[in-house]
Amino acid sequence: MSETMPRLFTALAEWGACMIFLLQSPRKFTGPRFWLAAAGALVIQGLWLEGSGFLPVALWMPAMGVAVVLMFLFLVFCGQHDLPGAGYCTVRAFLLAEFTASLEWQLYAFFVQKTNMTGLIPAIVFLLAVYGGVFVLAYRLEQRASLGTDPLRMTRQEFLSAASIGLAAFLISNLSFVTANTPFTSSVAQEIANIRTLMDLSGVVILYAYHIQLCELHTRRELDAIKNILQNQYVQYRQSRESIDLINRKYHDLKHQISILRAEQDPARRSAFLDRMEEEIQHYEAQNKTGNSVLDTVLTSKSLYCAKHQIKLTCVADGAQLAFMDVMDICTLFGNALDNAIECQLSIPDKEKRLIHLEVYTKKDFLVIRCENYCPVPPAFQHGLPVTTKADREYHGYGLKSMRYTAQKYGGSMMVQAREEWFQLTLLFPRRSAG
């Protein structure tokens, strides 16, 4: 087999390792466009590694650095990771590619020596077998580690830690290719191959273990953020409950005052004025009486806020159907749903179009909670949820996740969509939850 073949095999390994991460995460392109871009990346990677084979040994390390940059650009161009996330995937993909290429070449050289089976076709068959086995295993392990979670939002320190591990493993594994005049290198071909393969394997394993730890850490962070949201919504409910109780007492006293005024004097104009006051009080007493005291409190609090900011909030809710749900969970679901809708409405200049509608009803075997609000500019979606427009994304976007978490707690599901200038949030609960 020609000397240039291993470089082409390395290019294929680097491309395949990148594909493992791209196929498991959201991509900018889908269908033929994605595969066309992937094919272009493979051609560029192959041309560079083939062309750099003529460079002197002193420039071999910089040439490999360029190959890493090409992998990074491939992930950035086709994937939806942020730059630290793309860099993190590049480090893991590069070390996996190095291990795969080294393992394949070492095994092939061993079996060729034993069987004397040379030629292009056996080399390609052997490559497909080894590359296929390693990449399928890596793909499955990556799926298991991620457990269907969103891509990690890497911090700068987390990325630098992963990059340090990858760089150390790569330098040690390839040190013998640069110089044999150190206590940690060798001039024997078999020993060089062993060092490279085993060090690359060690780096891959260490980075995989590091990835599992990061996934667990980010999951704990997200759960802590969700718990804080749950607690904050419950605190808001308690505060609203106290305020509304005070308002109810004041209105009750006012009704008695109106009765006394009626008994003392009865001019027609005064009577009409008092009639209007009484009608307003009755309207207040009648509104947000859904059959669930917790939902009543949340709705009344949000209604007062909406009225203050000229947002029209309408509600048709059978609150009695929420009896199976914990107080804090009711606060979380309705508090976050209305808070998100209100935030959207406050950004609409035309106050006549500030509209929110909430429904709670049963349909067949499901309890349906639906919150709709006018939304002239539909948001971008990622992983089925709107992407927050706030600058500090690390600390926002958990409201909807907490609602999805709460829905799943009762065996339910959540769906969000934007169509015809309306944003719609729908929660479905199996009615057996109430039992």
Side-chain angles (χ1 to χ4, degrees):
M1 187 173 62
S2 66
E3 292 298 324
T4 60
M5 190 61 70
R7 288 188 170 272
L8 293 177
F9 285 5
T10 300
L12 183 61
E14 293 172 352
W15 178 84
C18 290
M19 290 293 290
I20 287 178
F21 292 95
L22 286 173
L23 292 175
Q24 296 193 76
S25 60
R27 302 185 295 273
K28 295 176 183 176
F29 312 109
T30 57
R33 293 180 61 194
F34 169 72
W35 291 105
L36 183 61
L42 176 58
V43 171
I44 294 173
Q45 200 79 15
L47 289 175
W48 170 251
L49 286 178
E50 181 71 13
S52 62
F54 301 100
L55 297 175
V57 176
L59 297 177
W60 179 74
M61 284 289 187
M64 292 303 296
V66 174
V68 174
V69 171
L70 291 175
M71 294 174 68
F72 174 76
L73 294 177
F74 178 32
L75 290 170
V76 170
F77 181 74
C78 292
Q80 291 188 0
H81 297 93
D82 55 13
L83 292 182
Y88 174 70
C89 291
T90 302
V91 172
R92 296 188 62 208
F94 177 69
L95 213 56
L96 176 62
E98 283 288 293
F99 164 70
T100 305
S102 179
L103 176 66
E104 188 277 334
W105 188 249
Q106 187 174 2
L107 290 177
Y108 177 73
F110 176 81
F111 282 108
V112 165
Q113 185 177 3
K114 291 290 185 181
T115 63
N116 198 30
M117 186 173 58
T118 60
L120 181 61
I121 294 179
I124 293 176
V125 172
F126 202 87
L127 176 140
L128 293 177
V130 175
Y131 278 28
V134 172
F135 286 153
V136 168
L137 178 61
Y139 186 87
R140 296 298 185 187
L141 289 175
E142 191 67 20
Q143 276 187 324
R144 180 175 297 182
S146 300
L147 294 175
T149 58
D150 296 342
L152 298 179
R153 293 178 178 175
M154 302 294 300
T155 64
R156 182 173 177 270
Q157 184 176 358
E158 290 168 345
F159 164 68
L160 290 177
S161 298
S164 299
I165 295 172
L167 181 62
F170 172 73
L171 291 178
I172 296 174
S173 67
N174 289 278
L175 190 58
S176 295
F177 288 97
V178 179
T179 177
N181 191 27
T182 72
F184 308 103
T185 56
S186 174
S187 59
V188 181
Q190 184 62 38
E191 291 182 358
I192 293 174
N194 289 337
I195 293 172
R196 181 183 181 188
T197 302
L198 295 177
M199 278 304 306
D200 287 339
L201 175 61
S202 299
V204 170
V205 172
I206 292 172
L207 281 178
Y208 182 75
Y210 179 69
H211 180 69
I212 292 176
Q213 292 297 317
L214 282 183
C215 288
E216 293 178 353
L217 176 62
H218 283 236
T219 299
R220 285 197 296 269
R221 286 180 186 171
E222 185 166 301
L223 287 176
D224 288 342
I226 290 174
K227 288 178 181 178
N228 288 335
I229 291 175
L230 297 178
Q231 188 62 36
N232 289 339
Q233 290 291 345
Y234 182 67
V235 170
Q236 290 182 23
Y237 159 73
R238 293 291 300 271
Q239 294 172 345
S240 299
R241 178 74 268 173
E242 295 172 0
S243 300
I244 292 169
D245 286 343
L246 177 60
I247 293 173
N248 286 333
R249 289 196 298 270
K250 293 296 183 181
Y251 270 103
H252 185 71
D253 294 341
L254 186 57
K255 286 177 64 178
H256 287 290
Q257 294 173 8
I258 292 173
S259 299
I260 294 174
L261 288 174
R262 282 186 180 278
E264 289 181 355
Q265 54 183 348
D266 191 23
R269 186 174 178 182
R270 187 67 170 173
S271 179
F273 174 73
L274 293 176
D275 286 339
R276 288 196 301 270
M277 289 181 61
E278 191 171 18
E279 183 180 352
E280 291 177 359
I281 293 173
Q282 290 173 350
H283 175 72
Y284 170 79
E285 288 181 332
Q287 71 177 349
N288 300 331
K289 299 299 181 181
T290 65
N292 184 286
S293 60
V294 180
L295 179 57
D296 293 345
T297 299
V298 174
L299 286 175
T300 302
S301 173
K302 303 303 180 185
S303 296
L304 294 173
Y305 186 88
C306 287
K308 179 180 178 181
H309 294 84
Q310 296 180 276
I311 300 172
K312 185 178 181 181
L313 170 61
T314 58
C315 176
V316 180
D318 183 4
Q321 299 295 331
L322 300 172
F324 69 94
M325 198 174 293
D326 183 76
V327 171
M328 187 175 293
D329 293 332
I330 296 175
C331 297
T332 298
L333 290 178
F334 291 95
N336 280 306
L338 291 173
D339 283 346
N340 290 338
I342 289 171
E343 182 179 350
C344 177
Q345 300 313 288
L346 292 175
S347 65
I348 299 175
D350 188 352
K351 296 178 181 179
E352 294 295 326
K353 294 183 178 180
R354 294 181 176 180
L355 306 172
I356 301 175
H357 181 64
L358 178 68
E359 292 179 294
V360 180
Y361 60 93
T362 57
K363 185 175 182 179
K364 295 184 178 180
D365 295 328
F366 292 93
L367 168 67
V368 182
I369 300 174
R370 178 168 295 156
C371 183
E372 301 175 311
N373 61 269
Y374 181 69
C375 183
V377 181
F381 283 80
Q382 184 175 344
H383 316 302
L385 296 178
V387 178
T388 179
T389 56
K390 297 181 180 179
D392 51 342
R393 296 188 178 188
E394 182 70 25
Y395 301 99
H396 290 285
Y398 288 113
L400 285 169
K401 289 184 179 180
S402 70
M403 296 175 66
R404 182 171 61 185
Y405 171 79
T406 303
Q408 292 172 349
K409 174 181 175 181
Y410 294 95
S413 61
M414 184 184 79
M415 180 180 67
V416 292
Q417 58 182 338
R419 60 181 182 180
E420 299 179 356
E421 297 189 337
W422 281 86
F423 180 85
Q424 185 180 90
L425 164 70
T426 304
L427 295 153
L428 290 177
F429 297 90
R431 295 188 67 183
R432 62 178 177 273
S433 298

